[in-house]
Each structure stands twice: as C-alpha cells, then as structure tokens.
Amino acid sequence: MIQKENRIGEVVAQNFHTAKVFESLGLDFCCGGKKSIAEACKERGIDPEFVVSEVSKVETSNGAAAHFEKWEADFLADYIVNNHHSYVNNSISTIEHHLAKVIDAHGLKHPELAKIDENFFLLKEELLNHMAKEEKMLFPYIKKLNIAYKNTLEMSAAPFGSVLNPIKVMEDEHTEAGRLMGEINKLTNTYSPPADACGTFKVLYAELKEFEQDLHMHIHLENNILFPKAAELEKKMNKIYSTL
Ligand SMILES: [Fe+2]
C-alpha cells in the first residue's frame, strides 16, 4: 500500500511502471528518488493524494512487472551495462548526426539548437567518463562483493576503502547528468518540436526524449537499487568478518 511518506525511489524500485506517473508530473524519481512523495509534491505544488492514487492504480494493474529489486547485484550490474550503457554508447552518434543536420538547416531561426548541442556535448562527455569508471572499477567490485558474500569468501581491502566512497562520487555525477538532461528538456520545451520543424528535427526531439527516459531509468536502477544493495552486501560482509 503506497503512502505519501514513501520515498519515490523505493516506490519505483517496487514497480518500475510507476516511473511513468512520476515522470508525467515532473517528479524526479532517479536523482531525487530519496525524497518522499509528500516532499517532492510540496516542491512542485502538486497534491500528494492525487499522486498516491495515480501510482496505486499502476500498482494494481501491473502484476507481471519486472522486479529489479529482487535481482542479485551482479546480475543487475550486468543488465545495466548491457542495456543502458550500451544504449548510451549506441545512440550518441545518431543524435549528434541529427543535431548537426538540424543546426545546419534551422540554426539561425532556432538559436536554442546551439544550446541543446552544447548541453548534449557536456552530457556525452560526462556519461562516457562516468560509465567507464563504473565498468572498470565500481561494478566489478560490486560483483566481487556479491560472489564473496554468497560463498563466504574473505575479500582484500579495496583501494577506495568503503564502497560508499565511489557510490557517493557516482551519485554526484548522476546529479550532474540529470541537471544537463533537464536543461535539454527545458530548451526543447519538453521535446515539443516547433511548428516549422522538418522531419529530422522531429526525429531528433523524439530521440532526445527517449534518451532522457532511458537515462532516468538507468540512474534509478543504480541510485535506488544497485547502490543500496552494494552497501548492504558490504555491511553484511563486515559483520561476518568482524565476528570471525
Ligand atoms: Fe551511473
């Protein structure tokens, strides 16, 4: 039973279909997932009871929803890389190509396009750097933690100390990526192409909208499910080895 005191990230972790409701109302479920429904609604002047009732409808109508929170940390880390990291890697060049084409044809009449381009470039740099750190350092460590816990194996100390340290850095980077995506959302008037938009212009806005939806789910899976699982695994491991 969902209540307004529940954290948004936890509600979406229970059923990812509820993300659509939060997204449609402009309530942040990924970087802002630690806020309760009531807190987030207060900031945006929305009635929390309305949100609870909308989210509850989704809850009862999607019995077969994927429950990411039940997946083990190593499986979830692989899913994020194979699904979300590869989506980012594959879609960037297409979006850049369409951006260049649209700026060429409509840049003078639509100066917002140059700003969208600037923000997308910063977002790309931020994400590529960030995902490389996760794939090379944090995710392999989380996978090791999961295996060690399941098989009661001792682990050597990580160079970064507690897993909470890289997690904090990754969460800060998610906030920055979310901010840049939010700028693009504003500049595109939430991906509404202008009346004079050509076909490529419309495709570009649809691609950016999809990129945002994917990014929100991607950050949500890490901030609200994978990272808490990793912190919990580390806590359990510390408990086992402090009592041996
Ligand atoms: Fe990430």
Side-chain angles (χ1 to χ4, degrees):
M1 171 109 169
I2 297 163
Q3 290 172 325
K4 61 179 189 234
E5 290 75 26
N6 292 142
R7 289 176 174 198
I8 294 180
E10 285 168 3
V11 174
V12 179
Q14 292 299 317
N15 178 359
F16 76 92
H17 287 290
T18 59
K20 274 185 278 179
V21 176
F22 293 117
E23 203 146 48
S24 68
L25 295 166
L27 297 169
D28 180 6
F29 67 91
C30 51
C31 297
K34 290 187 175 128
K35 284 182 196 154
S36 69
I37 293 176
E39 284 169 326
C41 283
K42 200 172 166 198
E43 282 172 18
R44 290 195 62 86
I46 299 171
D47 176 12
E49 299 301 342
F50 169 72
V51 177
V52 168
S53 116
E54 289 301 295
V55 169
S56 301
K57 280 183 212 159
V58 177
E59 189 69 11
T60 48
S61 64
N62 284 290
H67 287 285
F68 297 108
E69 83 284 0
K70 293 199 175 111
W71 292 1
E72 289 200 17
D74 51 354
F75 188 79
L76 182 56
D78 283 341
Y79 171 81
I80 290 168
V81 172
N82 292 326
N83 188 38
H84 294 290
H85 288 198
S86 75
Y87 168 78
V88 172
N89 285 320
N90 293 332
S91 52
I92 282 174
S93 60
T94 312
I95 293 178
E96 283 182 328
H97 173 65
H98 288 151
L99 256 170
K101 236 176 128 181
V102 175
I103 288 174
D104 214 30
H106 305 276
L108 281 178
K109 212 170 159 208
H110 290 283
E112 70 275 17
L113 287 166
K115 290 185 189 152
I116 295 167
D117 190 45
E118 234 171 76
N119 279 283
F120 190 75
F121 175 77
L122 294 174
L123 179 61
K124 171 187 98 169
E125 294 289 298
E126 170 76 29
L127 282 174
L128 293 181
N129 222 322
H130 170 85
M131 295 190 308
K133 282 188 243 173
E134 287 179 338
E135 288 176 30
K136 284 192 190 123
M137 185 193 61
L138 182 58
F139 287 8
Y141 183 73
I142 292 175
K143 288 166 80 172
K144 259 197 223 164
L145 255 180
N146 197 57
I147 292 168
Y149 175 68
K150 276 202 316 201
N151 299 290
T152 336
L153 303 170
E154 203 163 354
M155 270 182 78
S156 46
F160 43 74
S162 165
V163 74
L164 298 178
N165 295 324
I167 284 177
K168 169 80 177 75
V169 177
M170 294 303 110
E171 284 181 341
D172 288 347
E173 291 179 0
H174 289 164
T175 303
E176 177 57 10
R179 187 190 70 75
L180 290 165
M181 197 74 242
E183 287 299 314
I184 295 171
N185 184 314
K186 271 188 238 154
L187 287 163
T188 58
N189 194 19
T190 311
Y191 314 105
S192 318
D196 62 341
C198 65
T200 314
F201 206 142
K202 288 179 190 162
V203 167
L204 171 70
Y205 274 27
E207 286 167 344
L208 287 169
K209 185 178 180 181
E210 184 187 73
F211 196 89
E212 182 187 78
Q213 284 169 343
D214 183 84
L215 185 68
H216 286 171
M217 187 51 72
H218 173 180
I219 293 177
H220 158 69
L221 290 178
E222 293 178 6
N223 280 17
N224 299 319
I225 305 184
L226 182 65
F227 296 167
K229 270 183 193 289
E232 188 59 28
L233 279 169
E234 185 180 69
K235 219 163 126 189
K236 286 178 181 167
M237 287 288 285
N238 287 342
K239 214 169 161 190
I240 293 170
Y241 288 99
S242 66
T243 53
L244 285 181

